[in-house]
Amino acid sequence: MSRPTGLIASKGIELLTWSTPNGYKASILLEELKEAYGLQYTSQGINIGQNIQKEPWFTAVNPNGRIPAIVDHDNGGLAVFEGNAILSYLTRRYDTEHRFSFAASDDDYTRAESWIGWQHGGLGPMQGQANHFVRFSKEKIPYPIQRYVGETERLYGILDARLKDRDYVVGPGKGKYSIADIALLGWVNGINFVIISLDQFPSVKAWLARCWERPAVQRGFTIPAPPSGSALKPQEGEAAEKTKELKKIVDQAKEQYGYKDDRDDKDDRDDRDDRDDRDDRDDRDDRDDRDDRDDGDDRDNTLFYVASKQRALGVRSPTTVPNVVAWLWLNFCGWPTTLRRPAIRQLHLRYLTPHFYPVFHLQPIWSTLHNKTYPSQPKSFNMYGSIIKSTLVAVALAATVSAAPPPYPNKCGDTVCPSDKPLCCGVYNAGFLELECMAGTTCPPIQYPTKTATTTSAAPSPTFGPKCGDSFFCKPGQVCCTLYTCADTPEQCPK
């Protein structure tokens, strides 16, 4: 395959793509349109390991420098990028009989948009991050591993529930095969990369097998090259051994942070009363919304899972005047009414009570002594007693509770700082300002290079070879054959 240097077609659709989950969206739909309507198209393989997508001719098509992208030469050379935008454009213009889409006046048109957006903003990014931290991150950092693998499992649980009594994601009755399914195919087919077995989600597995039976899907998965594996086929040899090794790392990360799958909580929730069920679901939905808005808020993302184990893990909120006042007011004055509100109850139990646990039993001790000594005092005396009681607790808190370090490490760019290097500092490296984790209490000043006389020296040995996938690089001297597949020479690439 020769290296692309520009557009090569003058009519029809020209597809610029590579063998990735997003790339397969466009090629599968184009194969479906070709089979249904005779739509012809030209494709070029853009090897992302060679950074072809960053060359000026490509960024003229997609300024973001990402695949897939298409150019419609029959529509004034219109360029369309982002996989889901491509699905929408191609069906609006060329799926005239709505074989793979829905009429704009049909409610299923909006439902399809919703599920495509769910994939684009949820499943794809979370599974991609899980793939990076599990397989390609140099350091196996437990927190992001359990965070992103766990979130990917949660999202697959949603898809599995959607497909429980359906053949396809959207459509009347049991559904109709559409772009809502095509948007998901590449990602679901690669679920093994994040050490999640599709056997956990039987409805999703049956759906994937159903889609794979379509000839156009099979052809679409070969453009520009087939994937290195499929979730429907068991792994063998070295790949299977690697998965076993990574599975242990994932399980250890989950255990370290007390991760518990939402699906495992179902039996426990069934034993609670209906009101508590609703409260827990509301709190979980609020947490999910917060995760979608700010994936960087790592401090709170998994706190829900470890709330019951906070004392064992040493998780406490800082000792500050607002926290002390809030806990005292909630625990002694607002329990009967205020704590009926789910959000406030979660604040109390999740953040404040674990911190002030050493003096938590002062309340029943005080109440017992108070009731025996003053059994018939007026309400005003009880109010003053509560003030005295709160004052005693505040004194005890000041003497017994100290601030603890943050329960989760600091984020530093695309990584997380370890406990022995908690600071995220700026450093000047090879002409670029970068972020780096450091030890100590303050960041050192940035040392910018000084201009010196030019000297000739041997070029340093490269650390990485060509990029060959999402944060995956071949060894120096190797070539990238297809996604996550390297070889010493082009002739040794799998055919």
Side-chain angles (χ1 to χ4, degrees), residues 148 156 220 236 267 326 330 337 374 423 447 453 460 494:
Y148 290 115
Y156 271 99
E236 299 177 350
D267 293 336
L330 287 173
T337 56
Y374 307 102
L423 293 179
Q447 299 294 329

Side-chain angles (χ1 to χ4, degrees), residues 20-22 24-25 28-29 32 119 123 127 156 159 177-191 204 207-212 214 216-218 221 231:
T20 70
N22 284 328
Y24 289 133
K25 294 178 185 178
I28 290 174
L29 178 57
E32 293 284 9
Q119 178 279 315
L123 185 65
Q127 187 171 335
Y156 271 99
L159 182 60
Y177 175 76
S178 70
I179 55 175
D181 302 283
I182 295 173
L184 290 160
L185 281 172
W187 290 101
V188 177
N189 191 66
I191 191 176
V204 177
W207 165 86
L208 181 61
R210 191 177 302 117
C211 293
W212 259 105
R214 300 181 65 88
V217 171
Q218 298 172 22
F221 267 117

Side-chain angles (χ1 to χ4, degrees), residues 1 17-20 24 45 220-228 481-483 494:
M1 181 187 300
T17 189
W18 193 239
S19 303
T20 70
Y24 289 133
F221 267 117
T222 65
I223 299 171
S228 57
C481 302
T482 184
L483 189 64

Side-chain angles (χ1 to χ4, degrees), residues 23-136:
Y24 289 133
K25 294 178 185 178
S27 58
I28 290 174
L29 178 57
L30 283 168
E31 283 297 319
E32 293 284 9
L33 293 172
K34 180 179 179 180
E35 182 176 296
Y37 300 99
L39 178 67
Q40 298 299 313
Y41 72 96
T42 303
S43 67
Q44 290 198 77
I46 306 300
N47 190 331
I48 58 178
Q50 299 174 1
N51 270 342
I52 299 174
Q53 73 279 12
K54 302 300 183 184
E55 295 178 358
W57 74 267
F58 188 96
T59 56
V61 176
N62 179 3
N64 194 36
R66 295 288 190 273
I67 62 93
I70 64 170
V71 175
D72 191 343
H73 294 286
D74 293 341
N75 189 19
L78 176 66
V80 186
F81 54 90
E82 291 294 336
N84 295 338
I86 293 172
L87 296 181
S88 179
Y89 172 77
L90 290 175
T91 49
R92 283 200 315 271
R93 186 170 179 85
Y94 295 105
D95 186 21
T96 56
E97 298 174 8
H98 300 300
R99 298 189 186 184
F100 314 108
S101 59
F102 304 92
S105 58
D106 191 335
D107 287 345
D108 281 327
Y109 179 93
T110 301
R111 295 186 182 101
E113 282 189 323
S114 297
W115 281 100
I116 291 172
W118 175 83
Q119 178 279 315
H120 189 73
L123 185 65
M126 294 299 102
Q127 187 171 335
Q129 291 293 332
N131 190 33
H132 169 76
F133 282 105
V134 170
R135 286 191 177 268
F136 305 119

Side-chain angles (χ1 to χ4, degrees), residues 93-259:
R93 186 170 179 85
Y94 295 105
D95 186 21
T96 56
E97 298 174 8
H98 300 300
R99 298 189 186 184
F100 314 108
S101 59
F102 304 92
S105 58
D106 191 335
D107 287 345
D108 281 327
Y109 179 93
T110 301
R111 295 186 182 101
E113 282 189 323
S114 297
W115 281 100
I116 291 172
W118 175 83
Q119 178 279 315
H120 189 73
L123 185 65
M126 294 299 102
Q127 187 171 335
Q129 291 293 332
N131 190 33
H132 169 76
F133 282 105
V134 170
R135 286 191 177 268
F136 305 119
S137 176
K138 184 177 180 180
E139 295 180 79
K140 301 305 179 187
I141 308 171
Y143 175 73
I145 288 176
Q146 62 86 36
R147 149 83 169 133
Y148 290 115
V149 172
E151 182 65 3
T152 302
E153 288 179 321
R154 186 188 73 81
L155 291 165
Y156 271 99
I158 292 174
L159 182 60
D160 195 66
R162 173 65 175 177
L163 292 167
K164 183 177 181 180
D165 299 313
R166 302 178 62 87
D167 291 339
Y168 300 104
V169 176
V170 177
K174 289 186 174 292
K176 181 183 84 169
Y177 175 76
S178 70
I179 55 175
D181 302 283
I182 295 173
L184 290 160
L185 281 172
W187 290 101
V188 177
N189 191 66
I191 191 176
N192 288 344
F193 274 100
V194 291
I195 322 300
I196 299 174
S197 172
L198 201 56
D199 293 334
Q200 298 180 59
F201 310 101
S203 299
V204 177
K205 185 175 183 179
W207 165 86
L208 181 61
R210 191 177 302 117
C211 293
W212 259 105
E213 293 174 356
R214 300 181 65 88
V217 171
Q218 298 172 22
R219 294 193 302 271
F221 267 117
T222 65
I223 299 171
S228 57
S230 170
L232 297 174
K233 297 178 181 179
Q235 294 179 314
E236 299 177 350
E238 185 178 346
E241 291 301 318
K242 181 66 174 178
T243 296
K244 282 185 180 179
E245 177 185 336
L246 294 174
K247 180 71 164 59
K248 293 179 182 178
I249 295 175
V250 171
D251 290 343
Q252 290 171 357
K254 289 182 176 180
E255 182 178 357
Q256 177 177 342
Y257 281 90
Y259 170 83

Side-chain angles (χ1 to χ4, degrees), residues 178-480:
S178 70
I179 55 175
D181 302 283
I182 295 173
L184 290 160
L185 281 172
W187 290 101
V188 177
N189 191 66
I191 191 176
N192 288 344
F193 274 100
V194 291
I195 322 300
I196 299 174
S197 172
L198 201 56
D199 293 334
Q200 298 180 59
F201 310 101
S203 299
V204 177
K205 185 175 183 179
W207 165 86
L208 181 61
R210 191 177 302 117
C211 293
W212 259 105
E213 293 174 356
R214 300 181 65 88
V217 171
Q218 298 172 22
R219 294 193 302 271
F221 267 117
T222 65
I223 299 171
S228 57
S230 170
L232 297 174
K233 297 178 181 179
Q235 294 179 314
E236 299 177 350
E238 185 178 346
E241 291 301 318
K242 181 66 174 178
T243 296
K244 282 185 180 179
E245 177 185 336
L246 294 174
K247 180 71 164 59
K248 293 179 182 178
I249 295 175
V250 171
D251 290 343
Q252 290 171 357
K254 289 182 176 180
E255 182 178 357
Q256 177 177 342
Y257 281 90
Y259 170 83
K260 189 176 183 182
D261 194 336
D262 279 356
R263 292 170 295 141
D264 295 336
D265 292 338
K266 183 177 185 302
D267 293 336
D268 296 336
R269 290 197 301 271
D270 288 343
D271 294 334
R272 302 171 188 166
D273 60 73
D274 292 340
R275 184 191 62 201
D276 286 342
D277 281 344
R278 289 193 299 271
D279 293 346
D280 288 339
R281 285 194 296 269
D282 291 342
D283 292 337
R284 191 167 61 255
D285 290 340
D286 291 342
R287 187 183 72 257
D288 294 340
D289 290 340
R290 184 171 60 252
D291 290 352
D292 291 340
R293 290 195 304 269
D294 185 9
D295 288 333
D297 189 11
D298 290 334
R299 187 179 169 89
D300 189 57
N301 285 336
T302 58
L303 205 51
F304 182 86
Y305 298 113
V306 300
S308 63
K309 301 182 179 180
Q310 284 185 337
R311 285 222 349 110
L313 295 174
V315 176
R316 298 178 179 179
S317 59
T319 304
T320 61
V321 172
N323 278 345
V324 172
V325 173
W327 185 82
L328 291 174
W329 178 75
L330 287 173
N331 201 59
F332 294 101
C333 304
W335 182 270
T337 56
T338 309
L339 291 182
R340 289 177 184 173
R341 297 171 62 88
I344 296 180
R345 186 169 72 250
Q346 284 296 320
L347 168 69
H348 180 267
L349 297 178
R350 193 186 298 180
Y351 294 103
L352 303 177
T353 296
H355 185 61
F356 304 134
Y357 192 85
V359 293
F360 184 71
H361 296 293
L362 287 180
Q363 182 185 9
I365 293 173
W366 172 268
S367 298
T368 301
L369 294 174
H370 178 273
N371 290 336
K372 286 184 177 181
T373 307
Y374 307 102
S376 59
Q377 292 297 326
K379 291 183 179 180
S380 60
F381 183 87
N382 290 339
M383 179 186 68
Y384 294 124
S386 296
I387 295 175
I388 296 173
K389 174 176 57 176
S390 299
T391 303
L392 291 175
V393 173
V395 173
L397 283 174
T400 59
V401 181
S402 60
Y408 300 119
N410 295 325
K411 287 198 68 175
C412 192
D414 290 333
T415 188
V416 178
C417 291
S419 58
D420 59 334
K421 295 181 179 180
L423 293 179
C424 181
C425 304
V427 295
Y428 196 80
N429 184 22
F432 295 95
L433 188 62
E434 300 176 348
L435 295 176
E436 181 178 312
C437 296
M438 294 185 178
T441 57
T442 59
C443 291
I446 299 175
Q447 299 294 329
Y448 293 96
T450 56
K451 294 184 179 181
T452 58
T454 304
T455 58
T456 304
S457 61
S461 300
T463 305
F464 300 103
K467 187 176 181 181
C468 199
D470 183 13
S471 301
F472 177 75
F473 296 83
C474 296
K475 296 179 180 178
Q478 288 188 327
V479 296
C480 178

